[in-house]
Amino acid sequence: MNLTLKIWRQASASARGEMVTYEVSDISPDMSFLEMLDVLNEQLNARGEEPIAFDSDCREGICGMCGLMISGKAHGPEVTTTCQLHMRSFSDGDVITIEPWRADAFPVIKDLVVDRGAFDRIIAAGGFISANTGAAPEAHSVPVPKPKADRAFMAAACIGCGACVAACPNASGMLFMGAKITHLGELPQGQPERDARVVSMIEQHDHEGFGGCTNIGECSLACPKEIPMDVINQLNRDLRHALTRHGD
């Protein structure tokens, strides 16, 4: 496959960025998208040019590091992570535009790399349970009804890649946050801090500069783990309960 790549290049957070065009040839359809970028970087290195900076880690669709906007779609034309997107999803001669996530809360660090520390700060604000550490308890010591366990596992599949934010016209992080709140809220261990959790996480979300949810649904469509929109409904119910209960 021969491809034309239009890639966002930005030397630093304070530098002015621009789209730069590259040609790549003899790309195997069995390569992943990131492997194709590796090939391009090898060519740039051979020419003494600065390679393109992009995030990756596990390359197995687990870690959520590899977020890119590919021809206007978060992670590209398939519902998967960028590292699991293969070049057979494209055609010979295609022109592919590659950009970083576009959101005020995800500032560009360099080229295609953005700072997603805002997600970490949301988790630090309340996305946890307080529990004594030590030996692992007996698995059946705290019974969890299967429907609740299944729903908690579904929500816990969120890998925090940021595709929901990138796809949302408002750059909202509500799907990410709803998944974390639903995950913990379905479990007995998550009940003591349930009210404080949702209030603290939403306050941090708004402080970071994410937009509000208007239920467009692009977030769920772009999610590589197919987290459903109803986790946002759960978030809103938990918030309403917390504010009503505490009179705020």
Side-chain angles (χ1 to χ4, degrees):
M1 297 172 63
N2 299 322
L3 302 166
T4 299
L5 308 177
K6 295 185 176 181
I7 302 178
W8 182 259
R9 300 303 308 265
Q10 185 172 336
S12 67
S14 59
R16 184 181 179 86
E18 63 177 349
M19 300 298 292
V20 179
T21 300
Y22 300 95
E23 304 290 337
V24 291
S25 57
D26 298 325
I27 297 298
S28 168
D30 294 326
M31 285 183 179
S32 74
F33 200 86
L34 296 188
E35 288 171 335
M36 180 273 295
L37 290 179
D38 288 338
V39 169
L40 174 58
N41 276 344
E42 289 175 359
Q43 295 173 359
L44 293 177
N45 279 325
R47 298 200 297 260
E49 299 179 31
E50 181 75 13
I52 297 156
F54 62 91
D55 271 330
S56 70
D57 190 6
C58 73
R59 299 204 176 197
E60 295 179 348
I62 298 171
C63 71
M65 287 290 292
C66 59
L68 297 175
M69 290 297 290
I70 302 171
S71 295
K73 295 184 178 180
H75 290 305
E78 310 290 342
V79 182
T80 187
T81 54
T82 301
C83 64
Q84 295 296 293
L85 176 68
H86 290 85
M87 298 313 297
R88 54 180 169 266
S89 296
F90 303 91
S91 300
D92 184 45
D94 275 356
V95 177
I96 305 173
T97 301
I98 309 171
E99 301 173 90
W101 288 160
R102 296 296 192 188
D104 287 345
F106 291 160
V108 174
I109 297 174
K110 182 178 181 180
D111 294 339
L112 305 176
V113 179
V114 300
D115 181 358
R116 284 176 290 184
F119 271 5
D120 296 331
R121 291 186 289 273
I122 289 173
I123 294 299
F128 55 85
I129 62 171
S130 297
N132 294 328
T133 58
E138 167 59 40
H140 298 294
S141 62
V142 182
V144 181
K146 190 174 188 307
K148 288 185 175 293
D150 289 345
R151 184 165 167 77
F153 272 116
M154 173 277 297
C158 170
I159 56 176
C161 65
C164 51
V165 176
C168 176
N170 304 326
S172 172
M174 287 293 190
L175 190 76
F176 162 79
M177 197 161 52
K180 303 307 178 184
I181 285 172
T182 299
H183 164 213
L184 297 175
E186 292 291 348
L187 300 175
Q189 296 90 337
Q191 301 312 306
E193 296 154 309
R194 187 167 183 170
D195 289 349
R197 175 182 303 117
V198 66
V199 172
S200 296
M201 292 178 73
I202 286 179
E203 287 179 349
Q204 189 66 39
H205 170 277
D206 294 347
H207 174 75
E208 296 290 345
F210 292 101
C213 175
T214 49
N215 292 306
I216 294 172
E218 293 295 325
C219 56
S220 185
L221 290 176
C223 177
K225 299 304 177 181
E226 301 181 313
I227 303 296
M229 281 281 289
D230 69 356
V231 299
I232 300 177
N233 298 335
Q234 184 66 59
L235 180 153
N236 289 330
R237 286 193 297 269
D238 279 17
L239 177 62
R240 184 169 59 249
H241 178 269
L243 296 180
T244 300
R245 183 179 180 185
H246 297 284
D248 295 329

